[in-house]
Amino acid sequence: AENAHWQVGKVLYATINLPAANNHYLAAAGRNSEYEDRTVANRFWLNRLFTLARGDKLDAIVLFSEGDLKPLTDPVAPSLLRRGSPLFDGFAATRKQVLALARKFDGKVLLVDSAALGKGKQPEIEWRGNLGHLSVDDQAVEVEVKPGSKALFVVKDAAD
């Protein structure tokens, strides 16, 4: 029930079950069946979505989630000098898969999540290659889809 997809024109829209709060990963041993089951389901779901989009030669995929996958951040290399136990990144496996699938996809991939924005910041799409990221906080945001244009997705100003 958490995952759904629909298509409008040449764009595939889909939800993916990625809860905020580190994808509900729990540090306690033996307590992560929910996280592990969701990770497996999401792996199959993402493969299905990208296969559909490639097969239909779509221009873009838009993925909606609660949690911020942080797709444009550079991975942090493990360090032996770090004090204490490092925090487990509950989004790492899904982020790695999305990045790999996006690299093989000819169209654009836009990830939209409900992560908080900095004070005074407005939602905007940040791009790295064909991968875009948009955090909307708790705001209603209108994104115009312009087929055939270089900027396929444009965040409309609230004053428009």
Side-chain angles (χ1 to χ4, degrees):
E2 291 89 356
N3 295 334
H5 71 85
W6 61 100
Q7 185 176 331
V8 178
K10 300 286 280 177
V11 179
L12 179 68
Y13 299 87
T15 59
I16 183 165
N17 186 9
L18 290 170
N22 204 25
N23 200 8
H24 288 181
Y25 174 82
L26 301 173
R31 306 280 308 262
N32 274 309
S33 62
E34 174 199 344
Y35 164 82
E36 292 162 358
D37 290 347
R38 184 176 41 260
T39 299
V40 170
N42 283 340
R43 183 172 52 245
F44 284 104
W45 182 240
L46 286 167
N47 283 331
R48 179 177 179 202
L49 293 172
F50 278 84
T51 299
L52 284 169
R54 276 192 306 273
D56 290 345
K57 295 180 177 43
L58 299 182
D59 294 337
I61 300 172
V62 180
L63 295 173
F64 298 96
S65 67
E66 177 189 23
D68 181 0
L69 201 57
K70 298 191 184 325
L72 305 180
T73 58
D74 294 322
V76 176
S79 170
L80 297 175
L81 301 176
R82 189 176 297 146
R83 293 180 187 254
S85 61
L87 294 177
F88 181 84
D89 181 354
F91 297 111
T94 305
R95 179 176 43 254
K96 182 178 177 182
Q97 182 185 14
V98 167
L99 292 172
L101 290 168
R103 275 193 293 274
K104 296 177 188 173
F105 183 62
D106 291 333
K108 293 190 179 279
V109 178
L110 177 60
L111 303 173
V112 181
D113 61 61
S114 63
L117 299 170
K119 186 174 180 166
K121 290 192 80 172
Q122 293 299 314
E124 64 179 314
I125 301 172
E126 183 181 352
W127 290 97
R128 185 175 293 167
N130 70 329
L131 185 65
H133 178 237
L134 171 64
S135 291
V136 298
D137 203 338
D138 59 0
Q139 299 180 36
V141 176
E142 185 176 350
V143 177
E144 186 176 1
V145 181
K146 297 180 172 186
S149 68
K150 185 176 181 206
L152 181 60
F153 301 104
V154 177
V155 177
K156 292 190 76 170
D157 188 356
D160 289 346

